[in-house]
Amino acid sequence: MSTFVKILIVIAFMAVPALAQQPLVVKVSCRDSQTLAIEPDRLDSLILRATGRTVQWELETVGCPQTVSRVEIRFAQTSPFGETPADKELVVPELPSPLPESVPLVSREISVAGEHRYEILLMDAEGNVLSKQQGRISARAIAPGMTLPSLLLAGLVVGLFFLLIRRRLSALSA
């Protein structure tokens, strides 16, 4: 296998994990038609270059009251998704009737670092709160010294440098 192919394989192994981040999924489920459960109730995420991972909420409707028609996610102080009022209070459009086993609620990308406490409210058609539960998102911002393209370029330069050294050493030994 040529050295150039080896260098490309190393670069691919460095780039693929950085590009393929799975969303964080929060499962909201009902217990005894009264109590909400959030799994996990605390999320930790890193923010790289002003973007973090995507948080996706899903409602498991088994055990939920049949009168549930709306879900709201409200942030107490700040939202990890932005600074506008729409980012502080995420309202899910009307839920389908009859309720399927699982309903995707909201999916947003984290962009603001800090500790963000939120509350999930299950509501009926009149706006009465049927159940609520609290959760937390902890986002930490890190500023990488190198962006992905510059990291790939540096890997290529280092690989070419070692190739040059190898050729020089083999020319001296010959």
Side-chain angles (χ1 to χ4, degrees):
M1 185 182 308
S2 75
T3 306
F4 182 71
V5 173
K6 289 179 186 177
I7 292 172
L8 287 178
I9 290 172
V10 169
I11 291 173
F13 277 121
M14 289 174 19
V16 169
L19 297 176
Q21 284 192 10
Q22 297 294 322
L24 299 167
V25 178
V26 177
K27 297 216 181 259
V28 180
S29 58
C30 298
R31 295 185 185 152
D32 308 325
S33 296
Q34 297 294 323
T35 310
L36 267 183
I38 300 174
E39 183 61 37
D41 61 345
R42 178 190 167 116
L43 288 178
D44 293 311
S45 179
L46 293 176
I47 299 174
L48 296 171
R49 293 184 309 275
T51 59
R53 294 178 72 181
T54 300
V55 178
Q56 184 175 318
W57 280 275
E58 288 183 8
L59 175 64
E60 301 283 328
T61 60
V62 177
C64 288
Q66 292 300 319
T67 57
V68 172
S69 68
R70 206 168 86 198
V71 178
E72 290 186 9
I73 302 168
R74 296 180 184 164
F75 288 89
Q77 301 291 322
T78 61
S79 165
F81 310 116
E83 299 298 327
T84 65
D87 292 323
K88 243 181 125 171
E89 192 169 300
L90 307 174
V91 179
V92 179
E94 294 293 319
L95 298 176
S97 180
L99 290 173
E101 285 186 23
S102 179
V103 180
L105 298 175
V106 177
S107 180
R108 300 289 298 272
E109 188 174 276
I110 297 173
S111 62
V112 178
E115 256 331 282
H116 307 281
R117 295 185 184 277
Y118 65 91
E119 187 173 54
I120 295 182
L121 306 167
L122 282 184
M123 305 173 96
D124 62 10
E126 290 81 37
N128 299 321
V129 177
L130 301 173
S131 186
K132 62 183 173 179
Q133 186 61 268
Q134 294 182 350
R136 178 172 49 173
I137 296 175
S138 177
R140 290 176 185 80
I142 59 172
M146 299 177 79
T147 63
L148 183 61
S150 62
L151 182 65
L152 295 175
L153 181 63
L156 183 63
V157 168
V158 168
L160 291 174
F161 179 71
F162 282 118
L163 179 65
L164 179 67
I165 290 174
R166 183 176 166 219
R167 286 190 180 184
R168 295 276 178 152
L169 288 176
S170 40
L172 289 176
S173 65

PDB file of all heavy atoms in Angstrom, residues 143-147 150:
ATOM      1  N   ALA A 143     -13.208  26.139  22.250  1.00  0.00           N
ATOM      2  CA  ALA A 143     -12.734  26.724  20.997  1.00  0.00           C
ATOM      3  C   ALA A 143     -11.515  25.937  20.551  1.00  0.00           C
ATOM      4  O   ALA A 143     -10.453  26.053  21.155  1.00  0.00           O
ATOM      5  CB  ALA A 143     -12.387  28.200  21.189  1.00  0.00           C
ATOM      6  N   PRO A 144     -11.661  25.119  19.539  1.00  0.00           N
ATOM      7  CA  PRO A 144     -10.507  24.341  19.099  1.00  0.00           C
ATOM      8  C   PRO A 144      -9.434  25.237  18.507  1.00  0.00           C
ATOM      9  O   PRO A 144      -9.720  26.270  17.914  1.00  0.00           O
ATOM     10  CB  PRO A 144     -11.092  23.396  18.046  1.00  0.00           C
ATOM     11  CG  PRO A 144     -12.315  24.086  17.559  1.00  0.00           C
ATOM     12  CD  PRO A 144     -12.832  24.907  18.715  1.00  0.00           C
ATOM     13  N   GLY A 145      -8.191  24.825  18.698  1.00  0.00           N
ATOM     14  CA  GLY A 145      -7.075  25.589  18.145  1.00  0.00           C
ATOM     15  C   GLY A 145      -7.029  25.496  16.631  1.00  0.00           C
ATOM     16  O   GLY A 145      -6.513  26.382  15.968  1.00  0.00           O
ATOM     17  N   MET A 146      -7.590  24.425  16.109  1.00  0.00           N
ATOM     18  CA  MET A 146      -7.562  24.219  14.660  1.00  0.00           C
ATOM     19  C   MET A 146      -8.956  23.816  14.192  1.00  0.00           C
ATOM     20  O   MET A 146      -9.641  23.058  14.858  1.00  0.00           O
ATOM     21  CB  MET A 146      -6.573  23.109  14.292  1.00  0.00           C
ATOM     22  CG  MET A 146      -5.142  23.408  14.690  1.00  0.00           C
ATOM     23  SD  MET A 146      -4.050  22.039  14.298  1.00  0.00           S
ATOM     24  CE  MET A 146      -3.815  22.284  12.566  1.00  0.00           C
ATOM     25  N   THR A 147      -9.347  24.302  13.048  1.00  0.00           N
ATOM     26  CA  THR A 147     -10.589  23.858  12.430  1.00  0.00           C
ATOM     27  C   THR A 147     -10.320  22.551  11.716  1.00  0.00           C
ATOM     28  O   THR A 147      -9.168  22.159  11.513  1.00  0.00           O
ATOM     29  CB  THR A 147     -11.114  24.912  11.438  1.00  0.00           C
ATOM     30  OG1 THR A 147     -10.148  25.058  10.397  1.00  0.00           O
ATOM     31  CG2 THR A 147     -11.375  26.238  12.130  1.00  0.00           C
ATOM     32  N   SER A 150      -8.000  22.855   8.592  1.00  0.00           N
ATOM     33  CA  SER A 150      -6.599  23.105   8.924  1.00  0.00           C
ATOM     34  C   SER A 150      -5.971  21.890   9.595  1.00  0.00           C
ATOM     35  O   SER A 150      -4.782  21.616   9.414  1.00  0.00           O
ATOM     36  CB  SER A 150      -6.457  24.348   9.795  1.00  0.00           C
ATOM     37  OG  SER A 150      -7.130  24.180  11.015  1.00  0.00           O
TER      38      SER A 150
END
